[in-house]
């Protein structure tokens, strides 16, 4: 069943409203008709709705039933990702959303080759947010994971320290995820490097702020493979996959 | 340190020989010099070697030390992958090699949209084998994982039954990997569907042959995300990541 995300003001227990491009999509691309059913998501809740009216401006719907979204993991995972080269962040955002990340925060580290300025990152962030929205619809999420503003290493180290479980994956090794992630953790932040990995001082700064240093085995994972492997393993260890 | 794979006949405990394109690569692209060191891999063993001579035809090397390859997981994992659309198999092969798969076997299932004939698959297989080789060099494997010939569902079901642990990941659900993969399993085969997933009879056929049916959680994973998540989780559960 197609999924659409709406703002709080556009849904209550009885009726829902889908506006703009989504309404056009329902009527023209999906060719849905009056009486057809779809899922409307708002703030982590899924609403099964029936279409009452369709126009290019809006669709009005009747809420048939609702419940907590089944696609949401019980563990809130924030991925801090050092900015990689090219369009790898596109892939990382798309797959992280599928695997259950709640938020993706790009970080500028010493070894980032790609160093977008504020203006060009603003454009990039818009694209990444659209990718997150499309992935959330496609894979059955009940929230749209946020792509955060780009932050510095210092800010990232501080934030890692504030998570219930804060992790940095270091290419030179550390503890295995299975010894570090408590099965009942409700809030986890995991920091992954870009192509060149991390400087030792960066790792030390994160450790000093309370993050645990993780090793992901003896093979060298590409910077777009490491976050996906880490998220999948964490979701498994916490009973969410 | 750069890694090169050679055949058994080209290495012994004292000397090694690197031929052809790899020799050109060492001399011209990498601009290595006499006395430089590199790693030569053969049949799961890593040999640290010193370059004695370089030409466009061959490099001769002295073996300085050798040991079992550190990049190889203790668990032998075979990925059976239903053929996806476009070039997704390229990504799946590359990432599976990084994550530690020993072999990738394409399978033609009922819902495969892409149905290459024998001739066009032969060409595709050559490309996939080159991708596996490059990934193995890059991530530090000590074997080059093989990309198998394309097989039928029936053949795949039979092979799954012969593995110590045989699994099929079903989009409609099954047991979690953490309850199904013994930590000490030495040989595992895992079967992942293409875009449309599996027909129920296909799942039943695999189950009848002894495979366990796996569910990967409540989100719908893309067909290129599912194998990577499954391999990462299995490598974690067996202590290899």
């Amino acid at each position: 069943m197609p999924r659409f995300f709406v703002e709080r003001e556009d849904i209550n227990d009885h009726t829902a409203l889908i506006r703009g491009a989504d309404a056009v999509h329902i009527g023209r691309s999906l060719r849905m008709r009056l009486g057809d059913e779809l899922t409307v998501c708002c703030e982590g809740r899924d609403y099964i709705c029936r279409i009452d009216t369709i126009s290019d401006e809006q669709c009005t719907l009747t809420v048939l039933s609702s419940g907590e979204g089944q696609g949401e993991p019980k563990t809130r995972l924030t991925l801090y990702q050092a900015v990689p080269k090219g369009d790898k962040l596109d892939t990382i955002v798309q797959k992280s959303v599928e695997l259950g990340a709640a938020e993706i925060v790009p970080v500028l580290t010493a070894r980032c080759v790609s160093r977008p300025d504020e203006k060009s990152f603003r454009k990039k962030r818009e694209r990444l947010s659209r990718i997150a929205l499309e992935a959330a619809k496609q894979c059955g999420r009940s929230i749209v994971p946020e792509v955060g503003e780009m932050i510095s290493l210092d800010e990232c180290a501080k934030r890692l320290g504030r998570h219930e479980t804060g992790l940095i994956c270091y290419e030179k090794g550390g503890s295995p995820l299975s010894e570090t992630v408590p099965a009942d953790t409700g809030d986890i932040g995991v920091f992954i490097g870009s192509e060149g990995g991390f400087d030792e001082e960066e790792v030390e700064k994160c450790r000093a702020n309370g993050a645990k240093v993780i090793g992901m085995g003896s093979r060298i994972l590409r910077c777009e493979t490491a976050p996906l492997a880490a998220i999948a393993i964490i979701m498994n260890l916490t009973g969410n996959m």
Side-chain angles (χ1 to χ4, degrees), chain A residues 81 92 192 216 220-231:
Chain A
Q81 175 65 54
I92 294 172
I192 309 276
M216 297 265 292
I220 302 153
L221 299 179
R222 279 170 200 261
C223 71
E224 74 273 21
T225 313
L228 312 184
I231 298 173

Side-chain angles (χ1 to χ4, degrees), chain A residues 85-120:
Chain A
K85 283 194 267 188
D87 56 6
K88 286 181 200 164
L89 204 47
D90 294 12
T91 310
I92 294 172
V93 166
Q94 183 191 65
K95 306 274 173 254
S96 300
V97 170
E98 284 176 61
L99 294 167
E103 190 177 354
I104 297 108
V105 182
V107 186
L108 210 53
T109 66
R111 298 195 187 168
C112 288
V113 175
S114 167
R115 309 191 76 83
D117 58 28
E118 211 170 299
K119 193 181 152 202
S120 74

Side-chain angles (χ1 to χ4, degrees), chain A residues 5 23 27 50 66 71 75 86 99 108 121 141 148 171 175 195 203:
Chain A
F5 288 88
R50 193 187 55 218
S66 76
T75 306
L99 294 167
L108 210 53
F121 185 75
R141 295 291 297 266
E171 67 279 7
S175 313
E195 285 81 3
V203 177

Side-chain angles (χ1 to χ4, degrees), chain A residues 10-22:
Chain A
D10 286 339
I11 193 158
N12 59 42
D13 286 347
H14 309 292
T15 59
L17 189 63
I18 296 177
R19 302 173 192 259
D22 278 346

Side-chain angles (χ1 to χ4, degrees), chain A residues 14-75:
Chain A
H14 309 292
T15 59
L17 189 63
I18 296 177
R19 302 173 192 259
D22 278 346
V24 177
H25 187 60
I26 288 170
R28 295 186 185 263
S29 316
L30 297 176
R31 298 186 188 197
M32 295 189 83
R33 292 159 183 236
L34 306 190
D36 283 354
E37 293 181 13
L38 51 74
T39 305
V40 177
C41 307
C42 181
E43 295 177 357
R45 233 178 139 70
D46 289 357
Y47 300 77
I48 309 296
C49 297
R50 193 187 55 218
I51 303 176
D52 295 326
T53 70
I54 302 183
S55 77
D56 280 356
E57 282 71 46
Q58 61 177 47
C59 292
T60 58
L61 307 103
T62 298
V63 174
L64 302 177
S65 64
S66 76
E68 212 181 316
Q70 294 304 305
E72 289 309 309
K74 295 180 305 291
T75 306

Side-chain angles (χ1 to χ4, degrees), chain A residues 114-147:
Chain A
S114 167
R115 309 191 76 83
D117 58 28
E118 211 170 299
K119 193 181 152 202
S120 74
F121 185 75
R122 206 178 307 136
K123 262 185 83 172
K124 197 176 183 127
R125 190 183 169 200
E126 279 169 26
R127 193 182 69 243
L128 294 170
S129 298
R130 279 198 302 277
I131 291 172
L133 171 62
E134 288 312 314
K137 284 182 186 176
Q138 185 268 338
C139 75
R141 295 291 297 266
S142 301
I143 64 156
V144 183
E146 197 185 342
V147 178

